[in-house]
């Protein structure tokens, strides 16, 4: 068995235990649904992933959540799942709160609100020029956390890419507003985001990252 298979199965076993207590969503149990747009500014073929390196605008659906589901007054790992709607179908990007510099960008961090967090993909995409991370920083007012997001909130984030040990380079702007229910209230969503099934256009994945994720994702889909 490959070592990443072993660790992937360990993660899945822990996930399965949580699923006993939270059958619907073992992690990221509560969230807020957002709608908005992704504006890509281009900048050449620097990253080696054409989707990041070219200009364009895409509609997006996103979910802001807290990973562990601890009381809202406590710090938690912030999660942002983004579904990018493209001409070739939907693509899912999962970001979590991490450090921003090396080596902190490979460690999860806890925050009380989304705006205080730096977000990254943690695991790299595979581009023509090697591994690529995706990151995001809030540039607008802090939207808060699930349970405290205002219905009229406008959440804007600058988007970046980086080589695993390289500098962050801005490639776009993400603009999000809460998707309200019929009574004008902030709502959650039953959508499931899966970057293994819905891969970012022109980006590949590494086999070791797939091994780490696929056992837990299979459980989540069941």
């Amino acid at each position: 068995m490959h070592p990443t298979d072993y660790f992937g199965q360990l993660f899945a076993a822990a996930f399965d235990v949580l699923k006993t207590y939270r059958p619907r969503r073992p992690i990221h149990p509560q969230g807020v649904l957002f709608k908005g747009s992704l504006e890509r500014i281009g900048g050449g073929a620097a990253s080696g992933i054409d989707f990041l390196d070219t200009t364009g605008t895409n509609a997006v659906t996103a979910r802001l959540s807290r990973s562990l589901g601890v009381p809202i007054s406590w710090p938690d790992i912030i999660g942002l799942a983004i579904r990018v709607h493209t001409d070739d179908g939907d693509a899912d990007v999962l970001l979590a709160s991490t450090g921003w510099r090396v080596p902190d960008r490979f460690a999860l961090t806890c925050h009380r609100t989304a705006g205080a967090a730096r977000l990254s993909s943690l695991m790299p995409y595979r581009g023509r020029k090697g591994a690529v991370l995706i990151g995001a920083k809030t540039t607008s007012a802090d939207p808060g956390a699930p349970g405290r997001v205002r219905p009229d909130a406008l959440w804007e984030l600058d988007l970046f890419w980086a080589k695993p040990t390289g500098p962050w380079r801005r490639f776009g702007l993400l603009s999000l507003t809460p998707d309200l229910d019929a009574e004008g209230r902030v709502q959650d969503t039953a959508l499931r985001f899966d970057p293994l099934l819905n891969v970012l256009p022109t980006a590949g994945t590494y086999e070791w990252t797939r091994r780490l994720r696929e056992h837990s994702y299979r459980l989540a889909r069941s």
Side-chain angles (χ1 to χ4, degrees), residues 96-111:
S97 53
T98 64
W100 197 246
R101 298 181 179 179
V102 179
D104 298 344
R105 65 178 59 166
F106 301 106
L108 294 167
T109 59
C110 293
H111 305 271

Side-chain angles (χ1 to χ4, degrees), residues 11 13 17 24-25 37 42 54 67 74-75 109-110 112 114 132 146 153 163 168 174 182 190-191 193 205 208 218 221:
F11 295 151
V17 171
R24 182 171 170 268
R25 287 189 189 270
S37 64
T54 55
S67 178
W74 297 6
T109 59
C110 293
R112 288 186 175 85
V132 175
K163 298 297 184 181
W168 291 103
L174 187 65
L191 281 176
F193 298 80
T205 57
W208 66 269
R218 190 181 301 119
R221 291 193 293 266

Side-chain angles (χ1 to χ4, degrees), residues 13-90:
F15 190 89
D16 200 25
V17 171
L18 285 172
K19 199 173 173 75
T20 303
Y21 300 96
R22 294 176 180 166
R24 182 171 170 268
R25 287 189 189 270
I27 59 175
H28 301 279
Q30 294 180 319
V32 173
L33 177 65
F34 285 83
K35 293 289 181 69
S37 64
L38 164 60
E39 181 182 353
R40 293 174 281 120
I41 62 174
S47 77
I49 296 176
D50 292 342
F51 184 78
L52 306 184
D53 295 335
T54 55
T55 59
T57 302
N58 301 87
V60 300
T61 302
R63 183 178 188 259
L64 168 67
S65 61
R66 287 160 52 91
S67 178
L68 304 178
V70 297
I72 198 166
S73 60
W74 297 6
D76 202 342
I77 298 166
I78 303 297
L80 179 62
I82 306 164
R83 175 159 293 173
V84 184
H85 306 293
T86 78
D87 292 340
D88 298 319
D90 292 338

Side-chain angles (χ1 to χ4, degrees), residues 146-182:
R148 292 181 177 171
V149 173
R150 301 188 319 275
D152 62 348
L154 171 61
W155 187 18
E156 294 184 323
L157 305 98
D158 276 344
L159 297 179
F160 303 82
W161 68 266
K163 298 297 184 181
T165 58
W168 291 103
R169 302 178 186 276
R170 184 173 177 269
F171 75 86
L173 172 68
L174 187 65
S175 300
L176 300 172
T177 56
D179 189 43
L180 308 179
D181 65 15

